[in-house]
Amino acid sequence: MKPPNIENMSTEVLDAILDVYKDDKELVIYCLRFLYYTTTNEKLQSNIVEILSDMNYCIECGSKMINYEWEEPHDELEGSYKEEFSASFCPNCDHSEIKNLNASKKGE
């Protein structure tokens, strides 16, 4: 049972983790992922996803996200117009999507 008048302290918990472990990015990522998968607090989960996204790490496996590029041909237009796209993907969790898009690492 939830104690009466208890305030949601999820922001303060995240701020504490980010401050205490600021010199150990790997530990920050591990702690955030642990919290994400063990809490039922949707605000906390949402904030964790935002933080890891800003840090450019995958919520699923903790890997560093990589920026990929791909082109989409538009045969319906005159000429050989190709639309260029760029997005960050996890090289582990998004492997099939990267393959389906025929995406390559940005700058390669």
Coordinates of all heavy atoms in Angstrom, one line a residue, residues 17-86:
I17 N 21.4 10.1 -9.5 CA 22.2 9.1 -10.3 C 23.2 9.8 -11.2 O 24.4 9.5 -11.3 CB 21.3 8.1 -11.0 CG1 20.6 7.2 -10.0 CG2 22.1 7.3 -12.0 CD1 19.5 6.3 -10.7
L18 N 22.6 10.8 -12.0 CA 23.4 11.5 -12.9 C 24.5 12.3 -12.3 O 25.6 12.5 -12.8 CB 22.5 12.4 -13.8 CG 21.6 11.7 -14.7 CD1 20.6 12.7 -15.3 CD2 22.3 10.9 -15.8
D19 N 24.3 12.8 -11.1 CA 25.3 13.6 -10.4 C 26.3 12.7 -9.7 O 27.5 12.9 -9.9 CB 24.6 14.5 -9.3 CG 25.6 15.4 -8.6 OD1 26.4 16.1 -9.3 OD2 25.6 15.4 -7.4
V20 N 25.9 11.7 -8.9 CA 26.8 10.9 -8.2 C 27.8 10.1 -9.1 O 28.9 10.0 -8.8 CB 26.1 9.9 -7.3 CG1 27.0 8.9 -6.7 CG2 25.4 10.7 -6.2
Y21 N 27.2 9.6 -10.2 CA 28.0 8.8 -11.1 C 28.4 9.5 -12.4 O 28.7 8.9 -13.4 CB 27.3 7.5 -11.5 CG 26.9 6.7 -10.3 CD1 25.6 6.5 -9.9 CD2 27.9 6.2 -9.5 CE1 25.3 5.7 -8.8 CE2 27.6 5.4 -8.3 CZ 26.3 5.2 -8.0 OH 26.0 4.5 -6.9
K22 N 28.5 10.8 -12.4 CA 28.8 11.6 -13.6 C 30.1 11.3 -14.2 O 30.3 11.5 -15.4 CB 28.7 13.1 -13.3 CG 29.8 13.6 -12.3 CD 29.6 15.1 -11.9 CE 30.5 15.4 -10.8 NZ 29.8 16.4 -9.9
D23 N 31.0 10.7 -13.5 CA 32.3 10.4 -14.0 C 32.4 8.9 -14.6 O 33.4 8.5 -15.0 CB 33.4 10.6 -13.0 CG 33.6 12.0 -12.6 OD1 33.4 12.9 -13.5 OD2 34.0 12.3 -11.4
D24 N 31.3 8.2 -14.5 CA 31.2 6.8 -14.9 C 30.0 6.6 -15.8 O 29.0 6.1 -15.3 CB 31.3 5.9 -13.7 CG 31.5 4.4 -14.1 OD1 31.3 4.1 -15.3 OD2 31.8 3.6 -13.2
K25 N 30.1 7.0 -17.1 CA 28.9 6.9 -18.0 C 28.4 5.5 -18.0 O 27.2 5.3 -18.1 CB 29.3 7.4 -19.3 CG 28.1 7.5 -20.3 CD 28.5 7.8 -21.7 CE 29.3 9.0 -21.9 NZ 29.5 9.4 -23.3
E26 N 29.2 4.5 -18.0 CA 28.8 3.1 -18.1 C 27.9 2.7 -16.9 O 26.9 2.1 -17.1 CB 30.0 2.2 -18.2 CG 29.6 0.8 -18.6 CD 30.9 -0.1 -18.8 OE1 31.7 0.3 -19.7 OE2 31.0 -1.1 -18.2
L27 N 28.3 3.2 -15.7 CA 27.5 2.9 -14.5 C 26.1 3.7 -14.6 O 25.1 3.1 -14.2 CB 28.3 3.2 -13.3 CG 27.6 2.9 -12.0 CD1 27.2 1.4 -11.9 CD2 28.5 3.2 -10.8
V28 N 26.2 4.9 -15.1 CA 24.9 5.7 -15.2 C 24.0 4.9 -16.1 O 22.8 4.7 -15.8 CB 25.2 7.1 -15.8 CG1 23.9 7.7 -16.2 CG2 25.9 7.9 -14.8
I29 N 24.4 4.4 -17.3 CA 23.6 3.7 -18.2 C 23.1 2.4 -17.6 O 21.9 2.1 -17.7 CB 24.4 3.4 -19.5 CG1 24.7 4.7 -20.2 CG2 23.6 2.4 -20.4 CD1 25.8 4.6 -21.3
Y30 N 23.9 1.7 -16.9 CA 23.5 0.5 -16.2 C 22.4 0.8 -15.2 O 21.4 0.1 -15.1 CB 24.7 -0.2 -15.5 CG 24.3 -1.5 -14.8 CD1 24.1 -2.7 -15.5 CD2 24.1 -1.5 -13.4 CE1 23.8 -3.8 -14.9 CE2 23.7 -2.6 -12.8 CZ 23.6 -3.8 -13.5 OH 23.2 -5.0 -12.8
C31 N 22.6 1.8 -14.3 CA 21.6 2.2 -13.3 C 20.3 2.6 -13.9 O 19.2 2.2 -13.5 CB 22.1 3.3 -12.4 SG 23.5 2.8 -11.3
L32 N 20.4 3.4 -15.0 CA 19.1 3.8 -15.6 C 18.4 2.7 -16.3 O 17.1 2.6 -16.1 CB 19.5 4.9 -16.7 CG 20.0 6.2 -16.2 CD1 20.3 7.2 -17.3 CD2 19.1 6.9 -15.2
R33 N 19.1 1.8 -16.9 CA 18.4 0.6 -17.5 C 17.8 -0.3 -16.4 O 16.7 -0.8 -16.6 CB 19.3 -0.2 -18.4 CG 19.7 0.6 -19.7 CD 20.6 -0.1 -20.6 NE 19.9 -1.3 -21.1 CZ 20.3 -2.6 -20.9 NH1 21.4 -2.8 -20.3 NH2 19.6 -3.6 -21.4
F34 N 18.5 -0.5 -15.3 CA 18.0 -1.2 -14.2 C 16.7 -0.6 -13.7 O 15.7 -1.3 -13.5 CB 19.0 -1.3 -13.1 CG 18.4 -1.9 -11.8 CD1 18.3 -3.3 -11.7 CD2 18.0 -1.1 -10.8 CE1 17.8 -3.9 -10.5 CE2 17.5 -1.7 -9.6 CZ 17.4 -3.1 -9.5
L35 N 16.7 0.7 -13.5 CA 15.5 1.4 -13.0 C 14.3 1.2 -14.0 O 13.2 1.0 -13.6 CB 15.8 2.8 -12.8 CG 16.3 3.2 -11.4 CD1 16.6 4.7 -11.4 CD2 15.4 2.9 -10.3
Y36 N 14.7 1.4 -15.3 CA 13.6 1.3 -16.3 C 12.9 0.0 -16.3 O 11.7 0.0 -16.4 CB 14.3 1.5 -17.7 CG 13.3 1.5 -18.8 CD1 12.5 2.6 -19.2 CD2 13.1 0.3 -19.5 CE1 11.6 2.5 -20.2 CE2 12.2 0.2 -20.6 CZ 11.4 1.3 -20.9 OH 10.5 1.2 -21.9
Y37 N 13.7 -1.1 -16.1 CA 13.0 -2.4 -16.2 C 12.5 -2.9 -14.9 O 11.8 -3.9 -14.8 CB 14.1 -3.4 -16.7 CG 14.2 -3.3 -18.2 CD1 15.4 -2.7 -18.7 CD2 13.2 -3.6 -19.1 CE1 15.6 -2.6 -20.1 CE2 13.4 -3.4 -20.5 CZ 14.6 -2.9 -21.0 OH 14.7 -2.7 -22.3
T38 N 12.7 -2.2 -13.8 CA 12.2 -2.6 -12.5 C 11.1 -1.7 -11.9 O 10.5 -2.1 -10.9 CB 13.4 -2.7 -11.4 OG1 14.0 -1.5 -11.3 CG2 14.4 -3.8 -11.8
T39 N 10.9 -0.6 -12.5 CA 9.8 0.3 -12.0 C 8.5 0.2 -12.8 O 8.6 -0.3 -14.0 CB 10.3 1.8 -12.1 OG1 9.3 2.6 -11.4 CG2 10.5 2.3 -13.5
T40 N 7.5 0.5 -12.2 CA 6.2 0.6 -12.9 C 5.8 2.1 -13.1 O 4.7 2.4 -13.6 CB 5.1 -0.1 -12.1 OG1 5.0 0.4 -10.8 CG2 5.4 -1.6 -12.1
N41 N 6.6 3.0 -12.6 CA 6.4 4.4 -12.7 C 6.6 4.9 -14.1 O 7.7 5.0 -14.6 CB 7.3 5.1 -11.7 CG 7.0 6.6 -11.6 OD1 7.0 7.3 -12.7 ND2 6.9 7.2 -10.4
E42 N 5.5 5.3 -14.8 CA 5.6 5.7 -16.2 C 6.4 7.0 -16.4 O 7.1 7.1 -17.4 CB 4.2 5.8 -16.8 CG 3.5 4.4 -16.9 CD 2.1 4.5 -17.5 OE1 1.7 5.6 -17.9 OE2 1.4 3.5 -17.5
K43 N 6.3 7.9 -15.4 CA 7.0 9.1 -15.5 C 8.5 8.8 -15.4 O 9.3 9.4 -16.2 CB 6.6 10.1 -14.4 CG 7.4 11.4 -14.4 CD 7.0 12.3 -13.2 CE 7.9 13.5 -13.3 NZ 7.6 14.4 -12.1
L44 N 8.9 8.0 -14.5 CA 10.3 7.6 -14.4 C 10.8 6.9 -15.7 O 11.9 7.2 -16.2 CB 10.5 6.7 -13.2 CG 11.9 6.2 -12.9 CD1 12.9 7.4 -12.7 CD2 11.9 5.3 -11.7
Q45 N 10.0 6.0 -16.2 CA 10.4 5.3 -17.4 C 10.6 6.3 -18.6 O 11.5 6.2 -19.3 CB 9.4 4.2 -17.8 CG 9.5 3.0 -16.9 CD 8.4 2.0 -17.2 OE1 7.3 2.3 -17.6 NE2 8.8 0.7 -17.1
S46 N 9.6 7.2 -18.7 CA 9.7 8.1 -19.8 C 10.9 9.0 -19.7 O 11.6 9.3 -20.7 CB 8.4 9.0 -19.8 OG 8.5 10.0 -20.7
N47 N 11.2 9.5 -18.5 CA 12.4 10.3 -18.3 C 13.7 9.5 -18.6 O 14.6 10.1 -19.1 CB 12.4 10.9 -16.8 CG 11.4 11.9 -16.6 OD1 10.9 12.6 -17.6 ND2 11.0 12.2 -15.4
I48 N 13.7 8.3 -18.2 CA 14.9 7.4 -18.5 C 15.1 7.3 -20.0 O 16.2 7.4 -20.5 CB 14.8 6.1 -17.8 CG1 14.9 6.2 -16.3 CG2 15.8 5.1 -18.3 CD1 14.5 5.0 -15.5
V49 N 14.0 7.0 -20.7 CA 14.1 6.9 -22.2 C 14.7 8.2 -22.8 O 15.5 8.2 -23.6 CB 12.8 6.5 -22.8 CG1 12.8 6.7 -24.3 CG2 12.4 5.1 -22.4
E50 N 14.2 9.3 -22.3 CA 14.6 10.6 -22.8 C 16.1 10.8 -22.5 O 16.9 11.3 -23.4 CB 13.8 11.7 -22.2 CG 14.1 13.1 -22.7 CD 13.2 14.2 -22.2 OE1 12.1 13.9 -21.8 OE2 13.7 15.3 -22.1
I51 N 16.6 10.5 -21.3 CA 18.0 10.7 -20.9 C 18.9 9.8 -21.7 O 19.9 10.3 -22.3 CB 18.2 10.4 -19.4 CG1 17.5 11.5 -18.6 CG2 19.7 10.3 -19.1 CD1 17.4 11.1 -17.1
L52 N 18.5 8.5 -21.9 CA 19.3 7.6 -22.7 C 19.4 8.0 -24.1 O 20.4 7.9 -24.8 CB 18.9 6.2 -22.5 CG 19.3 5.5 -21.1 CD1 18.7 4.1 -21.0 CD2 20.7 5.5 -20.9
S53 N 18.2 8.5 -24.6 CA 18.2 8.9 -26.0 C 19.1 10.2 -26.2 O 19.8 10.2 -27.2 CB 16.7 9.3 -26.4 OG 16.7 9.8 -27.7
D54 N 19.1 11.1 -25.2 CA 20.0 12.3 -25.3 C 21.4 11.8 -25.2 O 22.3 12.5 -25.8 CB 19.6 13.2 -24.2 CG 18.3 14.0 -24.4 OD1 17.8 13.9 -25.5 OD2 17.8 14.6 -23.4
M55 N 21.7 10.8 -24.5 CA 23.1 10.3 -24.3 C 23.5 9.4 -25.5 O 24.6 9.0 -25.7 CB 23.2 9.5 -23.0 CG 23.1 10.3 -21.8 SD 23.1 9.3 -20.3 CE 24.8 8.7 -20.3
N56 N 22.5 9.1 -26.4 CA 22.6 8.3 -27.6 C 23.0 6.8 -27.3 O 23.8 6.2 -27.9 CB 23.7 8.9 -28.5 CG 23.4 8.6 -29.9 OD1 22.3 8.4 -30.3 ND2 24.4 8.7 -30.8
Y57 N 22.2 6.2 -26.3 CA 22.3 4.8 -25.9 C 21.0 4.1 -26.1 O 19.9 4.7 -25.8 CB 22.9 4.7 -24.5 CG 24.4 4.9 -24.4 CD1 24.9 6.2 -24.3 CD2 25.3 3.9 -24.6 CE1 26.2 6.4 -24.2 CE2 26.6 4.1 -24.5 CZ 27.1 5.4 -24.4 OH 28.5 5.6 -24.4
C58 N 21.1 2.8 -26.4 CA 19.9 2.0 -26.6 C 19.3 1.6 -25.2 O 20.0 1.1 -24.4 CB 20.3 0.8 -27.4 SG 19.0 -0.4 -27.6
I59 N 18.0 1.8 -25.1 CA 17.3 1.4 -23.8 C 17.3 -0.2 -23.7 O 17.3 -0.7 -22.6 CB 15.9 2.0 -23.7 CG1 15.3 1.7 -22.4 CG2 15.0 1.5 -24.8 CD1 15.9 2.4 -21.2
E60 N 17.2 -0.8 -24.8 CA 17.1 -2.3 -24.8 C 18.3 -3.0 -24.4 O 18.3 -3.9 -23.5 CB 16.7 -2.8 -26.2 CG 15.3 -2.3 -26.7 CD 14.2 -2.8 -25.9 OE1 14.2 -4.0 -25.4 OE2 13.2 -2.0 -25.7
C61 N 19.5 -2.7 -25.0 CA 20.7 -3.4 -24.7 C 21.8 -2.6 -24.1 O 22.8 -3.1 -23.6 CB 21.2 -4.1 -25.9 SG 21.9 -3.0 -27.1
G62 N 21.7 -1.2 -24.1 CA 22.7 -0.4 -23.5 C 23.8 0.0 -24.4 O 24.8 0.7 -24.0
S63 N 23.7 -0.4 -25.7 CA 24.8 -0.1 -26.7 C 24.7 1.3 -27.1 O 23.6 1.9 -27.1 CB 24.7 -1.1 -27.9 OG 24.9 -2.4 -27.5
K64 N 25.8 1.8 -27.6 CA 25.9 3.1 -28.2 C 25.2 3.1 -29.5 O 25.4 2.2 -30.3 CB 27.4 3.5 -28.4 CG 27.6 4.9 -29.0 CD 27.5 6.0 -27.9 CE 28.0 7.3 -28.5 NZ 27.3 8.4 -27.8
M65 N 24.3 4.1 -29.7 CA 23.6 4.2 -31.0 C 24.5 4.7 -32.0 O 25.5 5.5 -31.7 CB 22.4 5.1 -30.8 CG 21.4 4.7 -29.7 SD 20.4 3.3 -30.1 CE 19.2 4.0 -31.1
I66 N 24.3 4.3 -33.3 CA 25.1 4.7 -34.4 C 24.2 5.4 -35.4 O 23.1 5.0 -35.7 CB 25.8 3.5 -35.0 CG1 26.8 2.9 -34.0 CG2 26.6 4.0 -36.3 CD1 27.5 1.6 -34.5
N67 N 24.7 6.5 -36.0 CA 24.0 7.2 -37.0 C 24.1 6.6 -38.4 O 25.3 6.3 -38.8 CB 24.4 8.7 -37.1 CG 23.4 9.6 -37.7 OD1 22.2 9.3 -37.7 ND2 23.8 10.7 -38.2
Y68 N 23.0 6.2 -39.0 CA 23.0 5.6 -40.3 C 22.4 6.4 -41.3 O 21.5 7.3 -41.0 CB 22.3 4.2 -40.2 CG 23.0 3.2 -39.5 CD1 22.9 3.0 -38.1 CD2 23.8 2.2 -40.1 CE1 23.5 2.0 -37.4 CE2 24.5 1.2 -39.4 CZ 24.3 1.2 -38.1 OH 25.0 0.2 -37.4
E69 N 22.8 6.2 -42.6 CA 22.2 7.0 -43.7 C 21.6 6.0 -44.7 O 22.2 4.9 -44.9 CB 23.2 7.8 -44.4 CG 23.8 8.9 -43.5 CD 24.9 9.7 -44.2 OE1 25.6 9.2 -45.1 OE2 25.0 10.9 -43.9
W70 N 20.6 6.4 -45.5 CA 20.1 5.5 -46.5 C 19.3 6.5 -47.5 O 19.0 7.6 -47.2 CB 19.2 4.4 -46.0 CG 17.9 4.8 -45.4 CD1 16.7 4.8 -46.1 CD2 17.7 5.3 -44.1 NE1 15.7 5.3 -45.2 CE2 16.3 5.5 -44.0 CE3 18.5 5.5 -43.0 CZ2 15.7 6.0 -42.8 CZ3 17.9 5.9 -41.8 CH2 16.6 6.2 -41.7
E71 N 19.1 5.9 -48.7 CA 18.4 6.7 -49.7 C 17.1 5.9 -50.1 O 17.1 4.7 -50.1 CB 19.2 6.8 -51.0 CG 20.4 7.7 -50.8 CD 21.3 7.8 -52.1 OE1 21.1 7.0 -53.0 OE2 22.1 8.8 -52.1
E72 N 16.1 6.7 -50.4 CA 14.8 6.1 -50.9 C 14.6 6.6 -52.3 O 14.4 7.8 -52.4 CB 13.7 6.4 -49.9 CG 12.4 5.8 -50.3 CD 11.3 6.2 -49.3 OE1 11.5 5.9 -48.1 OE2 10.3 6.8 -49.8
P73 N 14.6 5.7 -53.3 CA 14.3 6.2 -54.7 C 12.9 6.5 -54.8 O 12.0 5.9 -54.2 CB 14.7 5.0 -55.5 CG 14.6 3.8 -54.6 CD 14.9 4.3 -53.2
H74 N 12.6 7.5 -55.7 CA 11.2 8.0 -56.0 C 11.1 7.9 -57.5 O 11.2 8.8 -58.2 CB 11.0 9.4 -55.5 CG 10.8 9.5 -54.0 ND1 9.7 9.1 -53.4 CD2 11.7 9.8 -53.0 CE1 9.8 9.3 -52.0 NE2 11.1 9.7 -51.8
D75 N 10.7 6.7 -57.9 CA 10.6 6.4 -59.3 C 9.3 7.1 -59.9 O 9.2 7.3 -61.1 CB 10.4 4.9 -59.6 CG 11.7 4.1 -59.1 OD1 12.8 4.7 -59.2 OD2 11.6 3.0 -58.7
E76 N 8.4 7.5 -59.1 CA 7.2 8.2 -59.5 C 7.5 9.6 -60.0 O 6.7 10.2 -60.6 CB 6.1 8.2 -58.4 CG 6.4 9.1 -57.3 CD 7.3 8.5 -56.2 OE1 7.9 7.4 -56.4 OE2 7.5 9.2 -55.1
L77 N 8.7 10.1 -59.7 CA 9.1 11.5 -60.1 C 10.0 11.4 -61.3 O 10.7 10.4 -61.6 CB 9.8 12.2 -58.9 CG 9.0 12.3 -57.6 CD1 9.9 12.9 -56.6 CD2 7.8 13.2 -57.9
E78 N 10.0 12.5 -62.1 CA 10.8 12.6 -63.2 C 12.3 12.6 -62.8 O 12.7 13.2 -61.8 CB 10.5 13.9 -64.0 CG 9.8 13.6 -65.3 CD 9.6 14.9 -66.1 OE1 10.6 15.5 -66.5 OE2 8.4 15.3 -66.2
G79 N 13.1 12.0 -63.6 CA 14.5 11.9 -63.3 C 14.7 10.7 -62.3 O 13.9 9.9 -62.1
S80 N 15.9 10.7 -61.7 CA 16.1 9.6 -60.7 C 16.3 10.3 -59.3 O 17.4 10.3 -58.7 CB 17.4 8.9 -61.1 OG 18.5 9.7 -61.3
Y81 N 15.2 10.8 -58.8 CA 15.2 11.5 -57.6 C 15.3 10.5 -56.4 O 14.6 9.5 -56.4 CB 14.0 12.3 -57.4 CG 13.9 13.1 -56.1 CD1 14.7 14.2 -55.8 CD2 13.0 12.6 -55.1 CE1 14.6 14.8 -54.6 CE2 12.9 13.2 -53.9 CZ 13.7 14.3 -53.6 OH 13.7 15.0 -52.4
K82 N 16.2 10.7 -55.5 CA 16.4 9.9 -54.3 C 16.4 10.8 -53.1 O 17.1 11.8 -53.0 CB 17.7 9.2 -54.3 CG 17.8 8.1 -55.4 CD 19.2 7.4 -55.4 CE 19.2 6.4 -56.6 NZ 20.5 5.7 -56.6
E83 N 15.5 10.4 -52.1 CA 15.4 11.1 -50.9 C 16.4 10.5 -49.9 O 16.5 9.3 -49.7 CB 14.0 11.0 -50.3 CG 13.7 11.9 -49.2 CD 12.2 11.9 -48.8 OE1 11.4 11.1 -49.4 OE2 11.8 12.7 -47.9
E84 N 17.2 11.4 -49.2 CA 18.2 10.9 -48.3 C 17.7 11.0 -46.9 O 17.0 12.0 -46.5 CB 19.5 11.8 -48.4 CG 20.1 11.6 -49.8 CD 21.4 12.4 -49.9 OE1 21.8 13.1 -49.0 OE2 22.0 12.4 -51.0
F85 N 18.0 10.0 -46.1 CA 17.5 9.9 -44.7 C 18.7 9.7 -43.8 O 19.7 9.1 -44.2 CB 16.5 8.8 -44.5 CG 15.2 9.0 -45.2 CD1 15.0 8.5 -46.4 CD2 14.2 9.8 -44.6 CE1 13.8 8.7 -47.1 CE2 13.0 10.0 -45.2 CZ 12.8 9.4 -46.5
S86 N 18.6 10.0 -42.5 CA 19.6 9.8 -41.5 C 18.9 9.6 -40.2 O 18.0 10.3 -39.9 CB 20.6 11.0 -41.4 OG 21.5 10.8 -40.4

